[in-house]
Amino acid sequence: VQLVESGGGSVQAGGSLKLSCTLSGTTHTRRCMGWFRQAPGKEREGVAAINSDDMTTYAGSVKGRFTISRDNAKNTLYLRMNSLKPEDTAMYYCAIGRGYCASPAGPYDHWGQGTQVTVS
C-alpha cells in the first residue's frame, strides 16, 4: 500500500490550498481515509476523515474551513483548505485504515510521507 501526497506549498493567511493523496496497492472503497498534521514541537492532530459511506468528521479547529472528499475512480483523496491561518502550518499526511473512523484520529494502518503547508 502506498500513499503519495501532493499540493502543499506556501500561502498567505486567508488563502486556499487543495491537497491530494493518491493511493496504490489497494482500493479504498471499504476503508476510512483521512488527513492528519504535525507541526514542529506539537503533537500529531487528526484533521479530517471520510468513511466508505461518505460520512465525514473534522477537527474543531478546521470545521467550516476544510473539506475532505474522495474520488473512488481515481483512488484519490482530497483536502480543500480555505481561510488558512498561520496555525495551520504543518506537515500534512494522508492515511488509510480498515475500520470506521468516528473521528479524524483514525484508526489508520498506512500513512504517506507528507506534504508541507506553510501559512504566513
Side-chain angles (χ1 to χ4, degrees):
V1 177
Q2 187 175 19
L3 297 153
V4 179
E5 302 94 338
S6 61
S10 297
V11 64
Q12 291 187 340
S16 299
L17 283 173
K18 185 175 183 179
L19 306 183
S20 299
C21 173
T22 301
L23 172 69
S24 61
T26 187
T27 62
H28 60 65
T29 55
R30 294 187 178 184
R31 293 169 176 248
C32 162
M33 294 192 73
W35 292 92
F36 62 96
R37 65 187 180 186
Q38 189 162 22
K42 294 187 178 181
E43 292 188 357
R44 188 176 68 183
E45 177 188 22
V47 174
I50 184 168
N51 291 285
S52 58
D53 59 2
D54 288 334
M55 289 297 292
T56 58
T57 177
Y58 295 91
S61 58
V62 306
K63 194 173 293 184
R65 300 189 297 122
F66 290 11
T67 302
I68 189 171
S69 62
R70 60 203 242 173
D71 185 328
N72 291 340
K74 295 182 179 179
N75 249 9
T76 301
L77 178 73
Y78 302 101
L79 184 68
R80 177 67 178 180
M81 306 184 293
N82 295 329
S83 302
L84 283 162
K85 304 175 181 180
E87 50 263 44
D88 295 318
T89 295
M91 185 72 79
Y92 283 71
Y93 302 86
C94 70
I96 189 169
R98 298 178 182 178
Y100 192 88
C101 289
S103 80
Y108 305 115
D109 49 33
H110 291 91
W111 299 266
Q113 294 299 309
T115 186
Q116 178 68 37
V117 172
T118 303
V119 185
S120 59

